[in-house]
């Protein structure tokens, strides 16, 4: 999530995937990674997370609010949609990322874990 927020604001950012020491000058003052490298890093991290995170229904009541597989898939869809449309409207090929966003969204919707919030009985129809 932190890398996606940085990516939205700055585009390519340095990817740092280890604890830094004060002598890691090449990473501390190194160049930015490309947009493609950052998006691939984020998506790879989300793929790893979805394989180990529990479904929402498997999270104990005391642990509600923790990240679920559905949340990771929803973020994956958001990242892919963001970058896919960015590429599309700049004349680049973003179709693969848009397909990835569709697939991740479909996994969330077809999981049966979530439903659309419908409280018209309380909120009214407006």
């Amino acid at each position: 999530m932190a890398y996606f927020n940085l990516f939205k604001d700055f585009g390519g950012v340095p990817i740092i995937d280890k604890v830094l020491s004060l002598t890691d000058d090449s990473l501390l003052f190194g160049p930015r990674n490309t947009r493609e490298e950052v998006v691939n890093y984020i998506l790879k991290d989300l793929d790893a997370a979805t394989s180990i995170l529990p479904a929402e229904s498997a999270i104990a009541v005391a642990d509600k609010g923790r990240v679920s597989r559905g949340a990771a898939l929803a973020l994956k869809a958001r990242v892919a949609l963001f970058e896919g449309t960015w590429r599309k409207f700049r004349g680049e090929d973003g179709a693969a990322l848009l397909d990835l966003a569709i697939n991740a969204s479909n996994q969330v919707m077809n999981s049966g874990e979530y439903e659309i919030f419908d409280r018209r009985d309380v909120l009214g129809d407006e």
Side-chain angles (χ1 to χ4, degrees):
M1 184 66 155
Y3 263 104
F4 182 49
N5 288 333
L6 288 170
F7 179 72
K8 287 187 300 184
D9 291 339
F10 303 109
V13 295
I15 296 174
I16 299 174
D17 58 357
K18 68 175 195 155
V19 177
L20 296 177
S21 69
L22 295 175
T23 59
D24 287 330
D25 290 339
S26 63
L27 289 174
L28 285 170
F29 302 106
R32 295 178 179 208
N33 291 81
T34 65
R35 286 184 72 89
E36 186 173 357
E37 290 171 332
V38 175
V39 166
N40 289 339
Y41 177 78
I42 294 168
L43 293 174
K44 185 179 118 195
D45 198 32
L46 289 168
D47 284 339
T50 56
S51 67
I52 60 173
L53 286 170
E56 181 66 32
S57 59
I59 297 175
V61 174
D63 291 330
K64 286 295 181 187
R66 293 188 180 243
V67 178
S68 66
R69 181 180 304 126
L73 285 168
L75 181 57
K76 180 179 178 179
R78 180 70 187 104
V79 170
L81 179 64
F82 179 87
E83 182 61 10
T85 55
W86 189 92
R87 289 181 186 181
K88 177 183 174 186
F89 291 108
R90 282 161 181 79
E92 300 175 27
D93 184 22
L97 286 167
L98 295 174
D99 287 340
L100 190 65
I102 291 168
N103 291 335
S105 298
N106 280 334
Q107 287 181 49
V108 173
M109 291 185 291
N110 296 332
S111 71
E113 296 283 327
Y114 308 96
E115 61 185 28
I116 294 176
F117 179 79
D118 183 7
R119 291 301 309 260
R120 286 178 281 185
D121 59 326
V122 175
L123 300 174
D125 286 332
E126 292 182 14

